[in-house]
Amino acid sequence: MTSDTIRQKYIYNTPYDDNEFPLVLEDSFDIEKDKYTSINASYLYCLEEQDFKRVVQNIKTSNIDKVIIRNDYCFKCSNKILINASLCHIMSFVYLFKKNGLKCKVI
């Protein structure tokens, strides 16, 4: 069901700032030296809630505590509203990863 997907639930679980963006600060870590997992934003969009929980569990069991979300969304237009909405969606996943005890940033 659609209501069970992360893409629906993040709207209700993410705190927002006055500009209607997720109130989330990205973590800073050295990509060259630190061990991390890289995940495409488009992959995260398709996950069900249980799938996301499995992804988090797999990351934690591999003794990695850092996640990089790659913004792989490509748009054929330069619509600012669409671009901001996609960034908002990605930052919501940053929040969800951080909520699960992982450091996260977007590139």
Side-chain angles (χ1 to χ4, degrees):
M1 289 187 71
T2 306
S3 63
D4 291 336
T5 62
I6 292 292
R7 60 186 173 270
Q8 293 294 321
K9 288 190 171 190
Y10 83 89
I11 294 170
Y12 305 107
N13 294 326
T14 306
Y16 287 86
D17 65 13
D18 292 338
N19 295 323
E20 298 180 0
F21 273 90
L23 186 60
V24 179
L25 297 175
E26 295 177 68
D27 295 304
S28 62
F29 50 88
D30 190 353
I31 296 174
E32 301 296 322
K33 296 179 182 178
D34 293 333
K35 218 173 151 185
Y36 62 87
T37 296
S38 178
I39 299 175
N40 288 336
S42 59
Y43 171 76
L44 293 172
Y45 178 80
C46 299
L47 294 179
E48 300 280 332
E49 184 175 8
Q50 292 303 318
D51 297 329
F52 181 76
K53 288 180 180 177
R54 272 188 237 112
V55 167
V56 169
Q57 189 61 36
N58 288 341
I59 293 169
K60 286 182 173 182
T61 56
S62 63
N63 293 326
I64 296 174
D65 66 344
K66 296 169 186 72
V67 177
I68 290 180
I69 299 175
R70 297 193 181 274
N71 185 351
D72 63 337
Y73 293 139
C74 296
F75 302 108
K76 294 182 179 179
C77 66
S78 59
N79 184 329
K80 186 80 169 155
I81 294 171
L82 184 61
I83 292 168
N84 284 344
S86 68
L87 179 60
C88 184
H89 181 262
I90 293 169
M91 292 307 291
S92 296
F93 278 102
V94 171
Y95 173 77
L96 290 174
F97 279 117
K98 289 179 74 145
K99 188 175 176 182
N100 282 284
L102 299 169
K103 293 181 179 179
C104 189
K105 73 183 209 177
V106 179
I107 59 168

